[in-house]
Amino acid sequence: MKIVFALTGAPAASRMPEYLARLRNAYEDATFCVVVSQNARMFVSETLLRNLCEIYINADEVQVHPWHITLAEEFDTLVTSPASAGRIGRFAAGLGIDLIDCLALSFASRHCIFPSTNPSMWDAPVVQRNVATLIESGVRVWQESSRCVELSTGMLMDAVSVPSYDKWLRFIEKVSIK
């Protein structure tokens, strides 16, 4: 199992080090690459992530190496977890603004996305069109709601967000284990 994890800017990014550590324990021979956006770095420790993967890449630094090509050739799956509504829109439009966008284009149907948006954003017609576009393109998008805390109010609500580790892992395995 060789997986590239793209972490983008949403509070759910703070759960990813735990998930990666558990995945590392479950698949000791796996190879992980972690690509982190500037906004995701507000929620996760670079040092911690570097200790959980073989390759760590800052998505916002100017890249001389064509990582989007190399990783798509050498790795099985791209997992974007979490993905904001803005990032989903960029993926659906095929924009190659940064390395994570270019990875999405290069991995195409070998891509799993775990959205993390509040319900009003998730229900917006444009977001739903973007999700439909991605699914039609062969991208697997997590769409199940669960109880979570709205950060602005502290209230519990149902929203599409990064699921429990077990559900997260099963969803990824459907794409990455052949």
Side-chain angles (χ1 to χ4, degrees):
M1 176 186 293
K2 295 180 80 173
I3 301 177
V4 176
F5 292 95
L7 279 63
T8 67
S14 64
R15 296 167 55 190
M16 292 304 97
E18 175 197 346
Y19 284 21
L20 291 172
R22 291 178 70 179
L23 191 63
R24 167 70 59 218
N25 288 333
Y27 294 96
E28 293 176 6
D29 294 333
T31 302
F32 301 146
C33 171
V34 176
V35 181
V36 185
S37 73
Q38 178 180 350
N39 290 337
R41 287 193 304 278
M42 293 186 299
F43 302 104
V44 294
S45 159
E46 178 179 332
T47 302
L48 182 56
L49 290 174
R50 282 183 183 276
N51 287 324
L52 294 169
C53 64
E54 286 72 25
I55 303 170
Y56 176 92
I57 303 170
N58 177 342
D60 301 298
E61 289 180 355
V62 175
Q63 302 292 328
V64 176
H65 184 82
W67 284 111
H68 62 292
I69 296 168
T70 303
L71 294 174
E73 290 172 352
E74 296 178 7
F75 282 70
D76 305 317
T77 307
L78 171 64
V79 176
T80 302
S81 182
S84 65
R87 186 61 70 162
I88 290 167
R90 287 164 55 169
F91 289 163
L95 301 179
I97 295 171
D98 68 6
L99 177 58
I100 293 174
D101 295 338
C102 291
L103 285 167
L105 291 168
S106 298
F107 274 85
S109 63
R110 297 176 295 137
H111 188 186
C112 296
I113 297 174
F114 292 91
S116 184
T117 69
N118 70 36
S120 61
M121 290 177 73
W122 177 255
D123 293 336
V126 69
V127 173
Q128 289 304 304
R129 279 193 303 274
N130 289 337
V131 168
T133 296
L134 290 168
I135 291 170
E136 288 169 15
S137 300
V139 176
R140 295 186 49 87
V141 181
W142 178 263
Q143 298 182 72
E144 209 174 290
S145 292
S146 60
R147 298 294 281 169
C148 58
V149 174
E150 170 60 49
L151 292 180
S152 64
T153 64
M155 296 178 63
L156 278 175
M157 62 180 196
D158 287 321
V160 174
S161 190
V162 177
S164 69
Y165 170 77
D166 292 330
K167 289 181 179 181
W168 181 82
L169 177 59
R170 282 195 300 274
F171 194 76
I172 294 169
E173 286 175 336
K174 289 178 185 176
V175 174
S176 61
I177 296 178
K178 299 166 173 86

